[in-house]
Every structure is written in structure tokens, then in C-alpha cells.
Amino acid sequence: MSDFTIREDWLPFCLPDISQAEIDADAEAIRSGWWAKGPKTMEFQQKFAQYVGAKHCIAVNSCTAAQHLSLLTAGIGPGDEVITTPLTFASTANTILHVGATPVFADIDPDTGLIDTEEIEKKITPRTRAVVPVHYSGLACDLDAIGALCDAHGLFLSEDAAHAVETRYKGELIGHHPRGTVCYSFYATKNLACGEGGALITDDDEIAKRAQVLSCHGMSAGAWNRYGKEGSWRYDIEEPGYKYNMFDIQAALALTQLARMEDMQRRRFEAVQVYEEAFRDVPELRLQKTPAYCHHSRHLYVMRIVPERLTISRDAFIEELKARNVGVSVHFIALHTMSAYVKRFGYKPEDFPKAYAFSESEISLPMYSTLGVQNAQYVAQAVLDIVKRYRK
Ligand SMILES: *Cc1c(COP(=O)(O)O)cnc(C)c1O
């Protein structure tokens, strides 16, 4: 271990999993001549709803679009408060601002990075209308506890499941008969990827119908087929909607990836195993805990350094990894420290001390289905080499 040798090529933080099936599926979708929203998008909606075990799936062009539609269809708007976590991607809170409501942050549980249910409870006011928990990194939030809070206070629940394809809560997939809405991302780096894409999942017929209409300009349902022989040129605009729908070239990719989920997840777990074994007894590193109720989708491999035990900062640790040709990332730069949020709400980093400390010590290691055991071993050795050089 002491004779660590730097590899010659750069190991990317993330890569999509491209098999011949994806290439064939998109070639077929292109040749079919139906490039916009059409039969493939319809098929994906049906198959993804069936896969998670929900009544409706509205396929859209991003998770951000799904999150915006969720809040709109739940009737959330100006004067309303929506509770979410500061340890998330911007769209989780940006979309709350887009509907004119106010995002209210609740701090996290430092063992997991998930929003802390007790912190949510403290932030409830008479203006609170919804909670947007994030299944951070692929861990599940405590949905029974959060759901009970929502029931007690009449709050809408919109889950951010961008990391949660394959995540299970008490044995059931996230999205299985949801209380409110569940929003997925199929962005290039996510467990199920189609470049850009997303889905809104719900069991509520009214929400599903309105989200479907709003996702395509506000056109009456079925208007996607207005050029087909069975379709009609006549359509109505029920309300001014958005251009948020998925299209068939995306859907063909998403369908292929859905069919390959089991195999892709198996290979992800092989890499996880390597990291878990290598870092088990390293006091300079703090690993994420998986609550007993949950099956982790392993979208991210989240590692924190223990600053008191090292002579090197987190940022310098990342530079050392880069010098060893390892691409890494940080999930997330705490949202309340971003300038748009500081300007608008006057937040200080210490306002959410646990999320801030987490964000300042976290490093996301390469984690994807094509990473491979050998590359994971290399990453683990690189991390351990840095720990050894800089331990106090
Ligand atoms: C990726 C991500 C999103 C946004 O997904 P898009 O499909 O890019 O809009 C939302 N929330 C979280 C936690 C994410 O990681």
C-alpha cells in the first residue's frame, strides 16, 4: 500500500452506462420518424408507473419540471411556505420560488445527510403548505414519520426522488403508492439516465390530469397525436402551460435503461463493496449510515473527512485526489450559502450548522455501474494514500 502508483489516465467522476441496447433503441426511435412526444413516451409512462407501483407517471424533460408541476398542481403559490433541506440541488428550492412560495430550510441528520423530521416539525407555521424531502444520495427519508407530520398539519408531500430510482423504504420502492407526488430525474449522471429527463409520479387522478396538461402547453390530453390518422387537428388550451414533456428519443433511452436496472445496480454494488471494505476502520473518514428501514440505491458514494484528524482541508483533499487522476464531486454545496439565497434571505452558513458542516467535509467518490472493481480499488487506495500522508 505504501508504494502507491498514480494511474496514467483520468478516471471520470461519472459516466453513463452505454450498451448496444441504448444505441439500437435510439437508432430505432430516430428511424421511426416519430421524434417528439409519442408512442415511446406513452410506453415509458406506463412502464415506469408499473415499475414503481403507482397509478400515474407523467414523463417530463427534467426532475426540475416535475418539481415545478408538483407544486403548481398542489395549488401552492404566493404567501405559502414549503419546507425542504439545504443539502440538495438548487432546483428543489428554486421551483418553490418559481411558484411564488417561500422555501423554508430544515437542518439535516449528520449521520445520513437526510432532512431531520424533528427539524421539519420546528419549522411548521400557519403558512406552511408542503414538505419537499430529498432522498439524498439514494437513502430514503423516514416517510412514515414525515407523512404523519403532513397528515397532522394538512401538508402536501412532494418527494425529491432524483437519486432514488431503486431506493426502497420498508421494502417498497420509493414512488410505490405515494401520498402526494414523487419527482424523478433521468439526467445523464442519475441511476436511470436518458441525457435529460424526469417523471412525476402520483396516485391522485386530478393531479395527474392537470400535470399532463400543464406539461404540454396546457393542451387538452391526447393532442400529442394530432397529426396521426386517429388524432384530430382540433385541440384546446385549457390553461397556459409549459413545454415540459419528454419526447420519444429520450423515452427510447429511458426504456432501455429501465430494462437494464437490475444488472446496472448489481455492478454499482460491486464497487460499493470495495469502498466499504477499504474505509471500514479508517477514523479519518466518516461514512454514511443506512437506516434499517431503507435500501440505498447508491446513486452517490458519500464520504466525509474528519477535519480534526487530518492536517489537510477538504478542498486540498480533493486536489490530492485530482492529482492522482481521480474525478470527484461534492453533494451538495449547501443551498443556503449560494448567493441568490444569501441575497434574498440573508442566510449565514451557521443558520443550518449540520448541513453546512456536512457540505464542507463531504467528498463524493466515483460511483457508477461501469466503474468496475479495479477502478474502485484504485480510488480506495488513492483515498487511503492521502489519509496516510496527512493524518495527524
Ligand atoms: C439532479 C437533481 C435534481 C434535478 O434534476 P434535473 O433532472 O436535472 O432537473 C433535483 N434534485 C436533486 C437532489 C438532484 O440531484
Side-chain angles (χ1 to χ4, degrees), residues 63-65 67-68 71 90-101 341:
C63 180
T64 307
Q67 292 180 296
H68 187 202
L71 297 171
S91 68
T92 316
N94 282 351
T95 48
I96 298 169
L97 289 168
H98 292 162
V99 299
Y341 285 81

Side-chain angles (χ1 to χ4, degrees), residues 62-64 67 88-89 91-92 134 160 162-163 185 187 190 197 332:
S62 70
C63 180
T64 307
Q67 292 180 296
T88 187
F89 184 63
S91 68
T92 316
V134 177
D160 180 330
H163 301 174
S185 173
Y187 179 68
K190 304 283 156 80
F332 290 93

Side-chain angles (χ1 to χ4, degrees), residues 178-306:
R179 287 168 186 266
T181 55
V182 184
C183 300
Y184 287 90
S185 173
F186 310 129
Y187 179 68
T189 59
K190 304 283 156 80
N191 286 35
L192 189 169
C194 65
E196 301 276 2
L200 185 160
I201 292 291
T202 188
D203 271 3
D204 185 304
D205 298 341
E206 288 305 309
I207 286 179
K209 187 166 172 288
R210 185 148 176 248
Q212 188 76 259
V213 167
L214 280 177
S215 74
C216 199
H217 307 286
M219 275 183 183
S220 39
W224 65 271
N225 196 20
R226 63 194 176 281
Y227 306 121
K229 189 164 183 188
E230 320 78 58
S232 164
W233 57 269
R234 193 184 288 283
Y235 60 85
D236 185 27
I237 296 293
E238 296 180 12
E239 57 180 316
Y242 301 85
K243 184 59 184 174
Y244 279 170
N245 61 276
M246 186 179 269
F247 66 101
D248 274 25
I249 298 172
Q250 281 173 308
L253 268 180
L255 278 163
T256 308
Q257 294 251 302
L258 183 59
R260 296 181 58 226
M261 269 325 284
E262 202 175 309
D263 174 53
M264 294 198 295
Q265 285 299 109
R266 182 181 53 72
R267 286 183 285 123
R268 213 174 255 277
F269 277 87
E270 285 173 4
V272 169
Q273 198 77 24
V274 172
Y275 289 160
E276 294 285 276
E277 270 164 32
F279 305 146
R280 190 174 294 147
D281 299 312
V282 184
E284 290 81 6
L285 304 176
R286 182 170 175 182
L287 305 185
Q288 201 182 21
K289 289 192 180 142
T290 302
Y293 62 70
C294 148
H295 171 77
H296 199 321
S297 73
R298 296 294 182 178
H299 169 58
L300 298 174
Y301 191 85
V302 168
M303 173 185 98
R304 291 176 68 184
I305 63 159
V306 179

